[in-house]
Structure formats: C-alpha cells, structure tokens
Amino acid sequence: MPASRTALETAARLGFGARGLVYGLVGGLALLAAFGAGGQTGGSRSALATLIDQPFGRIMLGAVALGLAFFALWQAVAALTDADRRGTSFKGLALRAAQGGSAVIYAGLALSALGLALGWSTGGGSEDAAARDWTAWLMQKPFGRWLVGAVGLGLAGTGVAWIVKGWRGDVLERLALPADARRWALPLGRLGFAARGVVFVIIGGFVVIAAMRSSSRQVRGLGGALEALQAQPYGWALLAATALGLLAFGGFALVQAFYRRIDAPDAEGAVARGMGALRS
C-alpha cells in the first residue's frame, strides 16, 4: 500500500475521532444545561472555547484543530474522487456535494479551533452570527430569498433523511465491526443520527422562516437550535433527549474512527480522479 494512501487513511480516522470529540463536548454541555447543572446550549465553537481554561487546554484545542482539518481534507478527497463509491447518479452526486459542503464547514471549524488555541479569538456565539452573515449576503443576490429558502429546505430535508436513517436505515453499512460490537453500535448510531437529524430540521426551519420574512436575524446555528428546544414546554426533557443523542453521535463517530471502511486513494490517484471530477 502506498505511503500516501496510508497517511490519508490515518488522517481520515483522526478526523472522525476529532468530530466525535466535538459532538461529545456539545452534547455533554447541553445535557448539563438541561438539568441546570451548568453547561451551555452553544454550538461547536463555543463548546470548544470551554477547553481553554482546562489543563493543557490550548494544546488540546490545537490537536482538535488538526483533527478537524484532517476530517475536512478527507471529506474533500471523498467528494472529488468518489472514494466512498457514491457514483454519478443524482443521489450519488448530491451526497458527494454534501461531503464537499462538509469539508468547507469543518475547515472553518478547524480554523476557529486554531484561533482559540493561539488566542486570536474567543469563539463565543460565532456560529449563529456566521449563519446570519451568510444568509444576509445570499439574500442580497438575485433571487436571494428563494436561494435562502432552498438552502433551508435542503437542510431540513437532510435532517429528515437522517431521522429516517436513524429509525430504519443501515447505520452500520460502512463499518467493519466485530460481531459482538454490533449490539451496542447499532442503537448508538440510530440515536445519534436521529438527534442530529432533529437539530438539522430545526436549523433548516429557521432558515426557511428567514427567507419568508426576508430577515437574516431569524437564522440560528446548532446552539440556537438547542436553545429553541429548551424554550419549549418541557424543554429540559427535549434538550436532554437531544443532548443524549448528540453524545451518542459523538460516540458513533469514534466507532467510525476505528472501524469505518476507508478506501483512500494514493496521492497521485487522488489528484487524477479529482481533476477528472472537476472536468466533468
């Protein structure tokens, strides 16, 4: 196996692990907030900011930033080279486009974590603000409200798809698990995908409302979605259930880090396949 291929697979596994740590941190803090035991209902960036005051916090943030950058790299490579064998059908191209969007999002989160580690930023409340900024920018374009509405529907639709996958889908389809691990990995994945889907439905709903009202102030990110859950009747229970699901998704991402099938192309093959994808 070429060394470049081995390095890319290792980077991908570290990336899945870093994503799992971030979701676990978000879920854990939200669970504490649900029971009034401290914590917070912030998004990924504000959750990472809580590491600063911990022993070796900046070192941990630097390591997480590197892992998130690896995950962004893997998502970009997978999107361009079709490393996950999604194909060129409409569904396959849509999934690869989602991987490309994920690469951009996690690259931004990696830069945010690096900025926190180096003391360039505080990270508080930045996700909602960033979401509002891009919404305001998009609304200024021709047919901007329609484009924002389409994005919101896409996010909500993705959330519904994840809920369905958590309910009855094959969440273990890309894992090479030992037989005894399937018993606990399956419910972990189902709960995790369902909770992530609920959050995306809420985020997409806020984006659709923003398009309908032509107001970017309506848009919320992950932290805003958790706050919206907490504000409902019996909000503590809704928040606690969702937080447990996000914790489960974080744990499932760690399972992926160890057991996911990763068909990483070598560097030369990745460049060639990527150029072919761009030309087509």
Side-chain angles (χ1 to χ4, degrees):
M1 181 182 292
S4 59
R5 182 173 181 176
T6 304
L8 183 55
E9 179 180 343
T10 301
R13 295 194 185 282
L14 291 173
F16 277 105
R19 183 175 71 156
L21 291 175
V22 171
Y23 268 95
L25 188 58
V26 171
L29 290 170
L31 187 62
L32 291 174
F35 291 103
Q40 63 180 32
T41 53
S44 302
R45 292 173 182 170
S46 56
L48 287 172
T50 64
L51 294 177
I52 293 177
D53 297 326
Q54 306 303 314
F56 307 105
R58 295 190 183 276
I59 295 175
M60 288 191 291
L61 276 169
V64 172
L66 183 61
L68 293 172
F70 285 156
F71 187 74
L73 173 64
W74 167 248
Q75 292 292 84
V77 169
L80 288 172
T81 67
D82 195 18
D84 285 334
R85 302 294 188 266
R86 305 288 189 181
T88 55
S89 65
F90 177 80
K91 180 180 178 180
L93 291 175
L95 291 171
R96 290 168 65 183
Q99 287 180 311
S102 177
V104 173
I105 291 171
Y106 279 98
L109 187 57
L111 287 174
S112 179
L114 180 62
L116 287 167
L118 297 177
W120 295 343
S121 65
T122 61
S126 56
E127 280 187 353
D128 283 2
R132 293 182 185 118
D133 288 343
W134 75 254
T135 304
W137 173 82
L138 190 57
M139 280 188 178
Q140 295 173 357
K141 305 303 177 184
F143 306 104
R145 289 180 61 186
W146 293 98
L147 292 172
V148 170
V151 170
L153 290 174
L155 289 171
T158 299
V160 170
W162 278 335
I163 292 172
V164 172
K165 184 171 184 176
W167 175 34
R168 62 182 185 183
D170 184 6
V171 297
L172 306 181
E173 60 179 331
R174 296 186 182 277
L175 300 181
L177 282 171
D180 58 342
R182 297 180 67 89
R183 291 177 297 177
W184 54 264
L186 181 60
L188 192 72
R190 290 200 184 284
L191 180 58
F193 272 100
R196 196 175 184 221
V198 168
V199 169
F200 265 69
V201 168
I202 295 172
I203 294 173
F206 279 121
V207 175
V208 171
I209 291 172
M212 295 173 61
R213 297 182 180 178
S214 192
S215 171
S216 62
R217 290 179 296 179
Q218 306 296 324
V219 175
R220 301 188 188 185
L222 174 57
L226 294 175
E227 289 175 359
L229 282 172
Q230 191 176 27
Q232 303 307 308
Y234 301 100
W236 69 270
L238 294 173
L239 179 60
T242 304
L244 283 172
L246 294 177
L247 271 171
F249 188 80
F252 190 73
L254 295 178
V255 173
Q256 290 177 307
F258 285 99
Y259 296 110
R260 194 182 193 275
R261 297 186 186 92
I262 296 177
D263 185 16
D266 59 74
E268 183 178 348
V271 172
R273 289 162 66 179
M275 292 300 295
L278 290 173
R279 283 195 295 270
S280 62

